[in-house]
Amino acid sequence: MNPFNPNFGKVPQLFLDRNQIVNEYISELDSNLDSPLQTSVIYGVRGSGKTSLLTDISNQLRQKGHWIVIDLTTNQDLIPTLTYNLYQEATSKFEQLIGKLKSIKVSGVEFQLKNDVPQSIQYQMMLKQILNQLAEKQIKVLVTLDEVKATKEVREFASLYQLLIRENLPIALIMTGLPENISELQNNSVLTFLLRSNRIELSPLSHEAVIKAFAEKFNEGNRQVANPILHRLTLLTRGYAYAFQLLGYLVWKNSAAGDVINDQLIDRLLPEYQLALSRNAYTKIYQDLSYQDREFVRAMANSTDDKVKMKYIGEQMEKPSNYIANYRQRLLDSQLIRVAGYGYVSFTLPLFKDFVQWYAQYDDAGF
């Protein structure tokens, strides 16, 4: 069985540099709901493993008898969905635990709400009743929200959530999002409480962890791989979580027990590797950039060097240093580039320079 899994959102068998994050989060939140982890934000570039991390946390907490986990997505009407799902989970898992809540009438999948009372107030009352009774039984609730954005529904939900935690009700929240979306959230006047939330940054996987995982798994699969090849494979991932799973998957799939993994095999797989990176991650990443951000990365890609001088980028864009510095910071925050020495930057993602050069042709042609 292939030990590598490049599918988005799945918890991979090889969860490098992430298990410690999951274990520490669950241990602290489980022992003390009032800890700084009560409201947490996982952020990182697309493909860094945010949803996989969220899924792992959800799955592990669900196995504990004193937790209820409610998974939400931003395309839902969050407050009614949370209220209904929490009611269903509690009544199902704990039988008559909240059976005395006579104000809630469930018909199919809808609540019977009173016409003379605003729905927002009724849902708020319902949630408080449910959470208060769960608290009596020492049962806690974790709400997960994947790929959060500053939408009207999120703002309404955040306002209610703040009210619930101010009343010391047993509820916690963990969200995932792209760095630029998290910044937008924290700059919203309704969502400023997120500035005080615990932030979990998914930085690149360590070189040591990647090379060790490749060596161990290929050895377990009776595939022979020399140290220079392990080093090349590791460099081809640049610590990008999706790239690690994808490249490992392709190498395993295209080799068999007893085979030698060599440069010829890697060379043969490179086009498929690049195509999958482009199709499944890079195209969306690039398309979400502003026009100025694209100009910056295109200027970087024009350089023959991996470490690009800021002065060179300014010359390519024909813009002053203060203008360039603004977009440099934006791209650093988005984790698409990194500081590569004083006055230098480089791309964080593997083969992203090649992708930008390729995609720029279609940009210029108006596609």
Side-chain angles (χ1 to χ4, degrees):
M1 180 179 177
N2 198 322
F4 301 93
N5 185 356
N7 290 332
F8 284 93
K10 298 285 187 180
V11 180
Q13 179 182 335
L14 292 168
F15 210 26
L16 303 189
D17 292 355
R18 307 304 194 224
N19 284 327
Q20 184 177 354
I21 295 174
V22 172
N23 294 337
E24 289 178 354
Y25 175 86
I26 290 176
S27 176
E28 182 168 343
L29 192 69
D30 196 30
S31 61
N32 178 22
L33 189 60
D34 293 328
S35 82
L37 303 189
Q38 184 175 18
T39 306
S40 295
V41 179
I42 305 168
Y43 68 98
V45 70
R46 192 178 304 276
S48 58
K50 301 182 298 297
T51 302
S52 296
L53 186 67
L54 189 69
T55 302
D56 198 17
I57 288 171
S58 298
N59 290 344
Q60 292 197 37
L61 274 182
R62 274 197 179 91
Q63 294 173 11
K64 297 179 180 290
H66 55 283
W67 278 94
I68 293 175
V69 179
I70 305 295
D71 298 318
L72 301 176
T73 59
T74 51
N75 60 356
Q76 296 173 315
D77 200 347
L78 297 175
I79 295 175
T81 303
L82 170 62
T83 309
Y84 178 71
N85 286 350
L86 183 55
Y87 175 73
Q88 290 292 92
E89 285 283 336
T91 50
S92 173
K93 192 171 184 179
F94 305 102
E95 299 181 347
Q96 302 303 314
L97 177 61
I98 58 174
K100 61 183 179 180
L101 295 181
K102 304 300 184 184
S103 61
I104 300 179
K105 303 292 183 183
V106 180
S107 174
V109 295
E110 296 181 353
F111 288 106
Q112 301 299 315
L113 300 173
K114 299 177 181 178
N115 294 327
D116 57 342
V117 180
Q119 288 191 11
S120 59
I121 295 177
Q122 294 184 70
Y123 285 124
Q124 179 178 316
M125 292 171 61
M126 292 174 188
L127 279 172
K128 284 185 180 180
Q129 286 180 295
I130 297 172
L131 289 168
N132 272 312
Q133 293 192 44
L134 291 174
E136 292 175 7
K137 302 293 184 180
Q138 298 183 326
I139 295 166
K140 307 169 188 177
V141 176
L142 175 69
V143 177
T144 76
L145 190 53
D146 196 20
E147 295 296 351
V148 67
K149 297 179 181 179
T151 63
K152 174 178 174 287
E153 291 77 15
V154 169
R155 289 193 295 271
E156 291 173 348
F157 170 76
S159 297
L160 175 58
Y161 173 71
Q162 288 182 83
L163 177 63
L164 297 175
I165 59 176
R166 281 204 305 270
E167 296 189 14
N168 293 317
L169 291 167
I171 188 168
L173 172 66
I174 185 167
M175 300 170 284
T176 71
L178 299 171
E180 57 269 26
N181 290 337
I182 298 301
S183 296
E184 184 182 354
L185 283 173
Q186 294 171 335
N187 292 330
N188 186 287
S189 59
V190 179
L191 305 172
T192 52
F193 79 101
L194 290 175
L195 290 170
R196 302 183 297 277
S197 65
N198 174 57
R199 303 185 196 184
I200 304 172
E201 178 184 1
L202 294 190
S203 54
L205 305 173
S206 70
H207 178 94
E208 294 79 11
V210 171
I211 200 167
K212 182 173 181 287
F214 276 145
E216 288 180 352
K217 287 304 169 183
F218 290 136
N219 182 60
E220 289 173 11
N222 195 27
R223 288 154 169 82
Q224 301 176 47
V225 54
N227 285 333
I229 299 300
L230 286 172
H231 184 64
R232 183 184 179 192
L233 289 171
T234 301
L235 290 178
L236 278 170
T237 72
R238 286 206 175 187
Y240 182 37
Y242 173 62
F244 163 71
Q245 297 289 346
L246 174 63
L247 186 57
Y249 177 85
L250 292 174
V251 171
W252 185 281
K253 178 184 175 182
N254 289 275
S255 60
D259 284 354
V260 175
I261 297 171
N262 52 30
D263 284 315
Q264 289 73 28
L265 174 62
I266 298 173
D267 291 339
R268 181 162 57 86
L269 295 177
L270 272 179
E272 185 177 358
Y273 176 58
Q274 288 184 279
L275 179 61
L277 286 173
S278 300
R279 179 187 297 153
N280 299 330
Y282 292 176
T283 298
K284 180 61 175 172
I285 289 172
Y286 188 80
Q287 288 176 343
D288 285 347
L289 296 177
S290 70
Y291 173 80
Q292 291 80 7
D293 290 330
R294 290 191 189 190
E295 289 295 296
F296 190 105
V297 298
R298 286 180 61 172
M300 283 183 64
N302 286 339
S303 173
T304 56
D305 300 317
D306 286 335
K307 296 180 180 180
V308 186
K309 272 188 175 183
M310 289 296 297
K311 182 180 178 182
Y312 172 84
I313 297 170
E315 291 170 350
Q316 289 285 301
M317 295 179 67
E318 298 181 349
K319 297 293 183 181
S321 59
N322 59 336
Y323 179 95
I324 299 300
N326 179 50
Y327 292 98
R328 168 186 175 274
Q329 190 58 53
R330 282 166 53 95
L331 291 165
L332 286 171
D333 292 342
S334 297
Q335 300 180 345
L336 289 184
I337 66 172
R338 65 179 182 86
V339 175
Y342 183 76
Y344 289 82
V345 290
S346 64
F347 289 115
T348 58
L349 302 177
L351 304 175
F352 193 67
K353 175 180 178 178
D354 299 313
F355 168 81
V356 172
Q357 291 174 334
W358 170 79
Y359 199 94
Q361 303 173 56
Y362 299 93
D363 251 359
D364 292 338
F367 281 89

